[in-house]
Amino acid sequence: MSQSDTQQIPQQESPLTRPSGQLDHLADLYRQMLLIRRVEEEAARAYAQGKIGGFLHLYIGQEAVAVGSIAALKPEDYVVTTYRDHGVALAKGMSARALMAELFGKATGCSKGLGGSMHMFDAQTNMLGGYGIVGGHIPLAAGVAFASKYRADGRVTLCYFGEGAVSIGGFHEGVSLAALWKLPIVFICENNEYSMGTPLSRSMSVEDVSMKALGYGIDRDRFFVEDVLDVEQRIGEAVQRAREMSLPTLVEVRTYRFRGHSMSDPAKYRTQQELEERKKKDPLFRARVKLVDEGYGESRLKALEEAIEAEVADAVEFANTSPEPDPSLLESTTYDGPFAA
Amino acid sequence: MNLVQAINDALKLEMKRDPRVVVLGEDVGRVGGVFRVTQGLWDEFGDDRVVDTPLSEGGILGTAIGMALYGLVPVPEIQFADFIFPGYDQIVSELAKMRWRSGGEYSAKMVVRTPVGGGIRGGLYHSQSPESLFIHVAGLKVVCPANPYDAKGLLLASLRDPDPVLFFEPKRIYRASRGDVPEGDYTVELGKAKIVREAEAAPGKPAVTILAWGAMLYEAVAAAEKALELGVECEIVDLRTLWPVDVETIAASVEKTGRVIVVHEAPKTCGFGAELVALINERCFLSLEAPPVRVAGFDTPFPYTLEMDYLPLAHRILPAIVETARY
């Protein structure tokens, strides 16, 4: 819960209170998480086949953070995230086709194949980018929130980053300005316990990231991700604080990635036992168990899962058969107007 | 009107015309900026549109990029060009790449204003001319006016340009450069140089093209006056927009004279003069009568004393003109 005792949080309305259709809602979140999981698994396969080059940072294990937090948003709200951006892009509504084609470097990708894995961008869903410079996007996200406030359009910006970004200047500059100007933004630290291969205890003097909020006088929250609905509820409180009172919040979400930092990382810095223990708490798996336990119905779940398989297979096929971007794209997307080639 | 007043006039005019324009930076509000360029804006447009910031260049520029992504037209002021480096990452990694990395979907339209150059005894952290560091980063436009008329017109054009613009203001001539500035709205097109002094070469009478911008333009003019007494005519091109550079105007002049000197304050090595000379070699090789020459700052930090020796002032340009003409 919020640590602030000075701010009263008004009662939540939709989308958090869902007296009816709660199970359908959970099924929808499960569907989104499964889509991310399956897209990432297929991306890993395509990477191994050499169809995706360069760097590939998978979101496997962390799906509940993107899906739960974005469930608390309205479609017109903004998200800005890190290089581990596939999950956030899909949860915000970008198509699996546009994502996979971008990974394959094809002209049909969300950035016409120019960005690749770390630099997704989708104007239609207000996904304002994955950013490859750690922490550099945090002041940028504050600027998006500044513009929301300036225009009084009631929109909220979610800004995601890892705990590794908290030690860099951009984090402090962004949070400092958001606090000073009371911007409608939620800073979500996805603390997956390893900044690349270095564990939390070796990279931060204070392991509780949310404590940084105290110095800036903003609200904070901190919790372990177990249940996607819980993420929606907790982030929802911060979103509401942003939307209704134009106040920023720093939320530390403790999560865990099941794969290495990137495809080239065998993750030898942690034990197999630790990984297996964490996999038992997989929020995706837990959501499925809950759906079954509460009577959503195995046959409906099967149908949902088959639809995801078809969607992912279609995305891979689409990426495979899409054309490469033409070299003429290079200069014409660098400048606009009379100077464009 | 002087350069400061002309820039202030342009900002005021555009803020009235376009509610998306927001000025932000250190001391830009109540104080009116360290050089008083934003004086009066805060009184007229208030806290929402003239925003005082903490000392946080990465924060100022990063925030401005986010604002621009969302359709505002931020005009961040960096107090001195030398202070831009804590925010350089934002400019290079994010601002310059936004249009490209979004596949053309988004641009980060903004104008970063910053005073540039030496001549005020500022020493190593208040005198530098880092333009080539930004020209080298594809995706930015770089402008440097040399007089009040161009300053107002170029700034208004920059504010309406769809791409991010680095607007370097030569602080040495902030108040020294004076001239008539029309009231109301006009623009000076980006990417167009201006011939400020014409020359014709004739048999036995060589002419030299000088490329300059900002405060050094006046030094080029002073050197040209002296050169005329020695029988050498100079054609002077004020680049005005450094990038995209007006290579057509430059090439036409160099093809006419066959001789060229580039003048800039920044250190010589890898300064913008290097690129200009390369472009001239590519475009005008067969027209050249003499090797292109660079008169520039030294490959050292900017000095506190010896400032007038470091800068490529008229007394350093004149011998280069004579040598080039006699080659």
Side-chain angles (χ1 to χ4, degrees):
Chain A
M1 294 301 291
S2 161
Q3 307 288 320
S4 166
D5 47 17
T6 55
Q7 297 292 347
Q8 285 292 315
I9 299 166
Q11 273 300 304
Q12 293 279 12
E13 288 181 17
S14 173
L16 296 184
T17 6
R18 299 174 200 275
S20 62
Q22 181 74 22
L23 212 51
D24 285 342
H25 178 60
L26 178 59
D28 181 46
L29 300 186
Y30 170 67
R31 187 190 62 75
Q32 292 182 48
M33 290 195 290
L34 184 63
L35 175 65
I36 295 169
R37 175 75 52 99
R38 290 293 300 119
V39 162
E40 295 291 61
E41 286 169 353
E42 289 306 313
R45 189 201 304 266
Y47 190 88
Q49 292 168 345
K51 290 180 177 171
I52 298 172
F55 302 92
L56 185 70
H57 307 86
L58 300 177
Y59 202 61
I60 292 173
Q62 299 181 213
E63 297 92 339
V65 181
V67 170
S69 57
I70 289 169
L73 292 184
K74 294 178 179 176
E76 65 268 28
D77 290 330
Y78 284 97
V79 296
V80 180
T81 188
T82 67
Y83 52 86
R84 197 181 303 283
D85 57 355
H86 311 167
V88 168
L90 288 172
K92 196 68 175 71
M94 194 167 99
S95 75
R97 278 185 164 201
L99 186 135
M100 198 62 84
E102 187 63 30
L103 292 176
F104 278 52
K106 298 297 184 72
T108 51
C110 62
S111 300
K112 300 190 174 75
L114 297 176
S117 167
M118 295 191 274
H119 314 107
M120 299 288 163
F121 210 102
D122 189 35
Q124 280 171 359
T125 58
N126 283 347
M127 152 62 178
L128 288 186
Y131 290 81
I133 302 289
V134 172
H137 66 298
I138 298 173
L140 189 152
V144 174
F146 181 103
S148 284
K149 188 172 184 180
Y150 184 86
R151 294 186 149 164
D153 61 11
R155 296 185 192 185
V156 172
T157 299
L158 296 190
C159 174
Y160 303 83
F161 47 91
E163 81 282 1
V166 172
S167 299
I168 215 159
F171 167 80
H172 295 276
E173 294 188 292
V175 175
S176 160
L177 292 175
L180 178 69
W181 294 333
K182 296 186 167 46
L183 300 180
I185 187 167
V186 183
F187 297 104
I188 300 175
C189 177
E190 291 187 77
N191 184 346
N192 63 19
E193 302 183 20
Y194 292 92
S195 65
M196 284 191 68
T198 304
L200 206 49
S201 59
R202 293 178 65 84
S203 64
M204 295 185 75
S205 57
V206 177
E207 293 187 24
D208 181 343
V209 171
S210 77
M211 294 284 280
K212 308 286 185 207
L214 298 178
Y216 296 107
I218 65 172
D219 286 286
R220 68 190 175 105
D221 194 5
R222 183 176 197 239
F223 60 92
F224 281 82
V225 175
E226 292 175 348
D227 182 343
V228 64
L229 289 170
D230 197 34
V231 177
E232 182 184 3
Q233 170 71 33
R234 299 287 280 267
I235 299 293
E237 290 170 10
V239 167
Q240 191 168 13
R241 188 178 299 118
R243 199 182 313 280
E244 294 176 5
M245 294 185 283
S246 192
L247 289 173
T249 307
L250 173 61
V251 185
E252 178 186 4
V253 181
R254 289 293 289 262
T255 180
Y256 200 81
R257 62 171 150 75
F258 296 162
R259 307 292 284 258
H261 166 73
S262 70
M263 290 301 289
S264 55
D265 170 21
K268 288 186 174 160
Y269 41 79
R270 61 188 183 192
T271 64
Q272 193 61 31
Q273 189 191 1
E274 176 183 308
L275 181 60
E276 291 309 319
E277 283 302 313
R278 300 305 285 260
K279 280 187 174 175
K280 285 181 195 160
K281 295 177 185 166
D282 182 1
L284 176 74
F285 179 66
R286 291 170 67 119
R288 194 183 197 284
V289 168
K290 193 168 178 179
L291 284 166
V292 172
D293 287 352
E294 296 188 10
Y296 184 75
E298 192 68 39
S299 62
R300 288 171 78 194
L301 270 174
K302 280 269 170 351
L304 180 156
E305 286 160 356
E306 279 166 17
I308 292 290
E309 286 310 312
E311 187 176 345
V312 175
D314 167 73
V316 173
E317 174 64 14
F318 177 76
N320 254 326
T321 54
S322 286
E324 303 266 344
D326 189 90
S328 67
L329 203 60
L330 289 178
E331 288 188 26
S332 62
T333 41
T334 301
Y335 293 103
D336 192 16
F339 301 116
Chain B
M1 218 179 247
N2 63 31
L3 207 64
V4 167
Q5 291 162 331
I7 294 166
N8 182 276
D9 192 37
L11 287 171
K12 210 171 266 181
L13 190 148
E14 196 65 359
M15 289 185 81
K16 273 188 200 145
R17 199 187 71 89
D18 185 351
R20 299 173 305 164
V21 177
V22 175
V23 168
L24 69 162
E26 296 158 15
D27 298 313
V28 297
R30 279 170 195 266
V31 174
V34 70
F35 288 102
R36 302 292 180 271
V37 176
T38 56
Q39 196 152 48
L41 298 182
W42 182 77
D43 305 288
E44 188 166 349
F45 300 102
D47 272 333
D48 287 347
R49 300 190 61 195
V50 186
V51 185
D52 279 320
T53 68
L55 278 72
S56 174
E57 281 77 14
I60 295 166
L61 291 165
T63 307
I65 297 167
M67 291 159 71
L69 278 183
Y70 205 152
L72 299 187
V73 183
V75 190
E77 174 182 300
I78 301 299
Q79 208 156 61
F80 286 84
D82 313 65
F83 300 174
I84 212 162
F85 299 109
Y88 190 59
D89 174 43
Q90 290 291 342
I91 295 176
V92 174
S93 304
E94 318 301 355
L95 181 62
K97 294 173 173 55
M98 201 53 76
R99 178 184 295 286
W100 197 85
R101 57 81 46 95
S102 67
E105 280 191 37
Y106 271 81
S107 71
K109 168 187 166 62
M110 73 164 73
V111 180
V112 181
R113 289 184 38 253
T114 188
V116 73
I120 63 162
R121 303 212 69 190
L124 63 171
Y125 296 135
H126 296 77
S127 308
Q128 296 173 86
S129 297
E131 63 274 359
S132 66
L133 298 177
F134 297 91
I135 295 167
H136 186 62
V137 179
L140 303 170
K141 290 176 183 172
V142 179
V143 173
C144 184
N147 61 66
Y149 178 90
D150 283 348
K152 179 173 171 181
L154 286 168
L155 182 52
L156 287 171
S158 299
L159 288 163
R160 295 166 196 178
D161 192 87
D163 285 302
V165 177
L166 269 284
F167 196 84
F168 287 115
E169 300 169 2
K171 59 181 172 287
R172 184 176 187 232
I173 55 167
Y174 253 156
R175 289 188 166 74
S177 173
R178 305 185 67 87
D180 289 337
V181 175
E183 275 184 36
D185 200 348
Y186 69 95
T187 57
V188 171
E189 192 182 347
L190 298 187
K192 296 283 182 226
K194 190 164 105 187
I195 310 257
V196 297
R197 182 187 178 99
E198 285 194 75
E200 290 294 338
K205 210 168 164 283
V208 178
T209 296
I210 305 179
L211 309 179
W213 57 89
M216 290 306 106
L217 184 73
Y218 298 91
E219 299 299 323
V221 170
E225 296 286 346
K226 290 260 168 53
L228 192 58
E229 294 168 17
L230 302 172
V232 182
E233 285 203 62
C234 294
E235 176 148 306
I236 299 180
V237 184
D238 176 2
L239 295 189
R240 303 198 291 191
T241 300
L242 303 186
W243 200 260
V245 71
D246 185 357
V247 71
E248 298 304 324
T249 298
I250 294 169
S253 179
V254 175
E255 277 163 10
K256 192 168 67 169
T257 62
R259 300 165 202 271
V260 62
I261 293 170
V262 186
V263 178
H264 64 61
E265 295 186 36
K268 187 173 180 178
T269 302
C270 290
F272 190 41
E275 180 62 30
L276 291 171
V277 169
L279 285 170
I280 289 163
N281 283 336
E282 286 167 6
R283 284 289 298 262
C284 317
F285 190 70
L286 296 177
S287 307
L288 290 174
E289 301 286 344
V293 172
R294 291 173 287 168
V295 183
F298 293 87
D299 290 341
T300 68
F302 201 99
Y304 169 58
T305 53
L306 302 176
E307 189 172 41
M308 296 304 153
D309 298 280
Y310 181 92
L311 289 171
L313 302 183
H315 70 267
R316 286 181 53 205
I317 301 170
L318 183 61
I321 295 173
V322 171
E323 208 171 304
T324 302
R326 285 182 185 156
Y327 185 84

